Amino acid sequence: QVQLVQSGAEVKRPGSSVKVSCKASGVTFRTQPITWVRQAPGQGLEWMGGIIPLFGTANYAQKFQGRVTITTDDSTTTAYMELPSLTFEDTAVYYCVGEVGGPYYFDYWGQGTLVTVSS
Amino acid sequence: QSALTQPASVSGSPGQSITISCTGTSSDVGRYNYVSWYQQYPGKAPKLMIFDVTNRPSGVSSRFSGSKSGNTASLTISGLQAEDEAEYYCNSYTSANAYVFGTGTKVTVL
């Protein structure tokens, strides 16, 4: 069955970076669109960007363009989301999400990774 | 890209029907039939409830239905049940080859 398993919670200092991983199984990884969504405490969902491993080029929300980097490793069927220069406003749960049943909707979600930015 | 606009809260009694609206623009909701809806319980990952405006994934109750008119999409929950109390988010594909979520709606069962 389809599974997206993310790396564990992180506590980071302001100005540092975080890299969250998402191990995919039960899918044809190279053609599987992977999206990253974040949710700040008590706030709504925010689409950050996505990638199709076969094409290798990610597209990003305007807000995160030039800041977040989404990559994949075909050999380990793992997707990554890296966010540098962290601020307190980056404290959030980060989800990796798969568009498995078809494009344009998100039917499989990882368990989420809490990133806390704290001094 | 601004978030799609949803009412902050909607409530109803058990057995009633409620409708949540999701208003976008001619560049997203109005342009594509790629609106989806998600249910989220506190502390849990969201769950897909409706995709492509009107379609229900396997396993989702038929009490949930979706529609769209112009730049506004809607989610209707019929025969409201206690278990429907959750946060609901809409999402749309956009002309910028991106996605945008709605602001979220808290559904309360009275």
Side-chain angles (χ1 to χ4, degrees):
Chain A
Q1 74 280 22
V2 177
Q3 279 195 308
L4 299 172
V5 180
Q6 300 182 223
S7 48
E10 304 253 21
V11 178
K12 294 291 185 179
R13 298 292 190 198
S16 66
S17 64
V18 69
K19 191 171 186 177
V20 180
S21 67
C22 170
K23 167 76 173 175
S25 59
V27 296
T28 303
F29 184 75
R30 295 201 75 217
T31 57
Q32 176 55 55
I34 297 289
T35 282
W36 289 89
V37 173
R38 83 173 183 181
Q39 186 170 37
Q43 302 301 307
L45 302 173
E46 188 171 29
W47 183 81
M48 300 179 71
I51 190 170
I52 299 175
L54 179 65
F55 302 137
T57 301
N59 64 313
Y60 302 102
Q62 194 171 8
K63 173 179 179 177
F64 296 101
Q65 188 77 41
R67 184 165 177 234
V68 68
T69 302
I70 295 172
T71 57
T72 59
D73 182 340
D74 292 356
S75 67
T76 59
T77 66
T78 301
Y80 298 93
M81 186 284 301
E82 184 168 20
L83 194 58
S85 305
L86 292 168
T87 70
F88 298 120
E89 288 68 39
D90 294 316
T91 293
V93 174
Y94 291 78
Y95 292 102
C96 76
V97 193
E99 298 169 46
V100 178
Y104 308 117
Y105 58 89
F106 312 124
D107 49 353
Y108 284 90
W109 293 67
Q111 83 273 24
T113 296
L114 175 61
V115 175
T116 302
V117 182
S118 173
S119 55
Chain B
Q1 177 79 55
S2 298
L4 306 175
T5 300
Q6 298 180 231
S9 62
V10 173
S11 62
S13 299
Q16 286 187 328
S17 293
I18 61 169
T19 296
I20 303 167
S21 61
C22 168
T23 302
T25 70
S26 57
S27 296
D28 39 65
V29 175
R31 184 164 183 169
Y32 303 100
N33 287 326
Y34 297 138
V35 175
S36 52
W37 289 89
Y38 302 85
Q39 176 191 63
Q40 186 181 33
Y41 294 114
K44 300 295 187 182
K47 174 187 175 183
L48 177 69
M49 304 302 284
I50 295 286
F51 66 96
D52 295 350
V53 178
T54 61
N55 296 308
R56 270 189 320 275
S58 173
V60 171
S61 172
S62 58
R63 298 185 297 105
F64 292 84
S65 62
S67 62
K68 191 185 88 168
S69 177
N71 295 338
T72 298
S74 298
L75 174 71
T76 297
I77 309 175
S78 305
L80 198 61
Q81 298 180 2
E83 67 201 49
D84 300 330
E85 187 161 297
E87 194 83 19
Y88 292 83
Y89 294 92
C90 61
N91 178 274
S92 177
Y93 180 68
T94 82
S95 59
N97 189 29
Y99 293 90
V100 61
F101 280 98
T103 50
T105 298
K106 169 65 176 172
V107 168
T108 300
V109 181
L110 301 172

